[in-house]
């Protein structure tokens, strides 16, 4: 199917609470075509791996209520991500 965002992939990085996992599973049941296009990667503690994702990203959107925004914001800006 034609997707409005072209070849983009969406990666969500950060810890996943156990209570959220059923929502992810349900999302993919309802949107099978997005498997492999929407990624829930969990927490990435290795800085090199995390910075690799930042360097590939175009957009940064913080969805966590508890993430350290000042640090994440600076990291995203360092890789020229658009901030949302």
């Amino acid at each position: 199917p034609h997707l409005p965002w072209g070849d983009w992939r969406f990666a969500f990085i950060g810890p996943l609470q156990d209570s959220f996992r059923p929502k992810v599973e349900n999302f993919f049941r309802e949107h099978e075509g997005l498997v492999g296009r929407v990624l829930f990667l969990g927490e990435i503690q290795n800085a090199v791996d995390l910075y690799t994702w930042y360097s590939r990203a175009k957009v940064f959107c913080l969805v966590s209520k508890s993430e350290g925004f000042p640090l994440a914001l600076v990291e995203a800006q360092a890789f020229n991500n658009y901030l949302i």
Side-chain angles (χ1 to χ4, degrees):
H2 174 71
L3 299 172
W5 51 79
D7 292 335
W8 282 45
R9 289 188 299 159
F10 296 85
F12 294 91
I13 298 173
L16 288 175
Q17 295 179 352
D18 290 337
S19 61
F20 189 69
R21 292 184 192 281
K23 293 178 183 183
V24 171
E25 293 168 5
N26 188 51
F27 173 82
F28 286 123
R29 270 195 300 276
E30 292 180 7
H31 306 283
E32 293 176 6
L34 295 180
V35 172
R37 305 281 312 250
V38 176
L39 310 170
F40 292 90
L41 301 175
E43 184 175 10
I44 298 178
Q45 294 184 352
N46 179 296
V48 172
D49 293 341
L50 181 60
Y51 293 162
T52 297
W53 280 100
Y54 274 123
S55 70
R56 295 172 60 194
K58 306 284 185 256
V59 175
F60 174 83
C61 179
L62 184 68
V63 297
S64 173
K65 294 180 182 176
S66 61
E67 176 67 36
F69 185 76
L71 177 58
L73 174 68
V74 170
E75 291 173 336
Q77 283 183 317
F79 288 95
N80 296 316
N81 298 160
Y82 289 97
L83 305 177
I84 296 178

